[in-house]
Amino acid sequence: MDLPPDQNYCVARPVYSKPSFEEDNETKARVPKTVRERFKKSCSCSAKRAKDITKGLLPILDWLPKYKIKEWLPKDIVSGISTGLVATLQGLAFALLVSIPPIYGLYASFFQFLTYFFMGTSRHLSVGPFPVTSLMLGSIVLAMAPEENFKIKGNSTGLNGTAVDIAAMNEYRVLVSNTATVLMGILLLIMGILQIGFLVRYLSDPLVGGFTTAAAFHIVISQVKLVLSVPTKNYNGVLSVIYTIIDIFRNIGKTNIADLIAGLLTLIVVMSVKEVNDRFKHKIPVPIPIELFVTIVATGISYGVDLETKYHASIVKDIPTGFLPPRPPDVSMFADVIGSCFSTAVVGYAVAVSVAKVYAIKHDYQIDGNQELVAFGVSNIFGGAFSGFFGCTALSRTAVQESTGGQTEIAGFISASIVFIVIVALGNLLEPLQKSVLAAIVIANLKGMFMQVLDVPRLWRQNKTDSIIWVVTCAASIILGLDLGLLAGLVFEMATVVIRTQFPTCAALGNVPGTDIYKNIKDYKNIEELSGIKIFRCSAPIYFANMDFFKDRLKAIVGFDAVRVFRKRNKALKMIQKLIKKGKLRSTKNGVLTDLGVDNKAFESDPEQDPEEAEDVDVPTKEVEIQVDWNSDLPVKVIVPKVTIHSLIIDFGAVSFLDVVSVKGLKLIVKEFMRIDVNVYIAGYDDEIIQKMEACGFFDDTVKKDILFLTIHDAVLFIRMKASYGNVEDPIFEKISLMKESKEPLTFPEIDELEDHQGAIYKLAS
């Protein structure tokens, strides 16, 4: 395609190898700071630094003075009231996932936000219980406080004449929940202090999507038994969801019709109105708080009809008014739950920060990931001490807060005030509410998580590996449980990264005629391979795990094994030497060996020579030069692979790091090719890569920095200039000198000239 003149460019500069480039451009030495200097800088103090640190720990000091009262306060009030109503009902509902009384969900919705209001960097997060982390915390609670541990003998007609001490069980489960919450807060706080929030980046979007979808499935199963009000055992761990489903079907005949009807009606109404909210969100200024309306109606019906007495409906019952005094965690439990607490805390933080970043980008402000760790850590330590359970953010609550016009965390403060009013004054009004209604509200809020299934076909089209990560994580989390499933998904994700670097894409490059552009010869029709030059690219870091694959791909692309070529040539030369000694070969006037009956350009027959008398012929004493055409037929029965190139260029443009093993391997490769007269060049390198090669002893008297070139085109031009001046010897000729009077066999370079353990390996294999 012909381009306008203004879209063409021409650059005139020298051909640069690394030494020549450093001659024209003086290098600048980097002086790394010592540990003492870094420590001194971090411990230095000034008024500005103290102010910055204070604002970093308490971001409210930065945004609150800039608060626009007339413009933002009305929006924050509307948003706060709407979010507070949703937070109240979700707090009650999500407490059921933790297997503790609903009132503790209100504590979690209130206390966590109080500290986040001062320390959080997001202006739109609605901090509080999240269904996935609530379910994960619930698995910890059930593992530490199973129902079987609280069975007591009594007059009950139940199994074996035993009953469950509900009060003792709930009290201990609340203690476990509080202890785990405090421990999660401590873990997050430590991560924030150590500035290691980057670890959460290993939870990729496909992994989180698959995990949260599996968690939604677990939540549905756990809530279906409440909607049906059927008795089931509490399972935890591998196949727990399968066992729960079996129990539900086994006891489905015991379904409470009143709870089932209430749950189904709630589910249908809530999901229908939420769909209306989504479709007409641009026309409806404030989403319809359908959960609030349904809860009020359901509570009124349950109270008026007395569903508990007449139909044995399962209701919330006791919701005490006011707050409980703070209580310390049971430190003795830390060792038993720290693993599960760590995974739960990381999942909660990862989801919260992901949501926060979405709204931060939308509203043009910054999120500090490490400060978020500190904020969530302190929030959960504080909340756990006041009987709340682990909280981060719920997607639906945050969406409500943002969509209703929330501008800052003032909206969150108002929503917490709504929860506060319910705790101190209105909580007991919700005592007749059926648990099946709360369970249906939980299920209705999982639509967004289940819709993530639609990401799988899109991921398959975009990147099949990401799609497989999503599916594997989801399946593992469903089958193995959330803790082990998350670990399995993370291990699988890391394995895909290792595999992709262990088996990278390697290609032979060709030149776009008339340009300095080099592309994969398989991708374009007009790409030309350069005569006598092979260009090899490895699109990945080179390290111990992929070094063997790198060598195999290099052999496949150049078309021969340099070690095998070297051995075959040595073998052929030794056999030729024996024939010379026996007189079966002799040199021509041009120093070319000749042999009877062999049709070879480098060998010609001698009709006067009798093969039978060859052994008795005196060997001349003068020095002769043997010149062998390795790509033609030889006078000995040895097949020597053909070498059709004289130069190999290795493109380092995509190589981001090397390790000791790969440096040694690369040096071995360079020497192997040099022994068969193929020059190796490295192009497109990064200076840090060269520093690593220098530190590992790559360069010596044989392998010099002259093989390094800034670009592939620099290397190609250098090779062509060298050839034009006659400095490139044709690689198909091997020249040796023989003293024919010598009775000792010729000595040829052996593999033991190679360095390190790899030479020994070659010896063992020969």
Side-chain angles (χ1 to χ4, degrees), residues 243-264:
Y243 295 140
T244 302
I245 292 174
I246 293 173
D247 266 10
I248 289 174
F249 280 101
R250 182 180 295 150
N251 299 315
I252 199 166
K254 302 178 182 179
T255 300
N256 186 292
I257 301 300
D259 285 335
L260 176 61
I261 293 174
L264 290 177

Side-chain angles (χ1 to χ4, degrees), residues 621-691:
T621 59
K622 66 177 182 178
E623 183 185 81
V624 297
E625 185 182 63
I626 298 177
Q627 197 174 62
V628 181
D629 184 351
W630 293 113
N631 286 342
S632 300
D633 294 331
L634 299 178
V636 292
K637 295 181 180 180
V638 178
I639 300 176
V640 179
K642 295 182 180 181
V643 178
T644 59
I645 64 173
H646 53 73
S647 300
L648 169 65
I649 301 174
I650 302 177
D651 179 18
F652 264 34
V655 178
S656 58
F657 72 85
L658 301 172
D659 65 356
V660 175
V661 174
S662 62
V663 171
K664 290 181 178 179
L666 285 170
K667 185 173 183 178
L668 185 64
I669 289 172
V670 172
K671 289 191 173 183
E672 287 172 356
F673 278 95
M674 290 174 66
R675 290 182 311 179
I676 60 172
D677 295 326
V678 176
N679 296 318
V680 181
Y681 304 93
I682 295 175
Y685 59 87
D686 185 81
D687 287 336
E688 292 183 358
I689 296 292
I690 304 305
Q691 292 174 7

Side-chain angles (χ1 to χ4, degrees), residues 2 292 348 528 536 556 598 635:
D2 294 331
L292 176 63
E528 295 180 356
F536 176 76
V598 178

Side-chain angles (χ1 to χ4, degrees), residues 463-514:
N463 189 316
K464 291 181 174 57
T465 302
D466 286 341
S467 177
I468 295 172
I469 290 173
W470 195 104
V471 173
V472 169
T473 304
C474 184
S477 299
I478 290 174
I479 296 172
L480 303 178
L482 295 181
D483 289 345
L484 291 178
L486 178 62
L487 179 61
L490 185 60
V491 170
F492 181 80
E493 180 187 50
M494 293 295 102
T496 63
V497 175
V498 172
I499 290 173
R500 278 182 279 184
T501 57
Q502 188 172 355
F503 303 101
T505 301
C506 299
L509 304 185
N511 177 247
V512 178

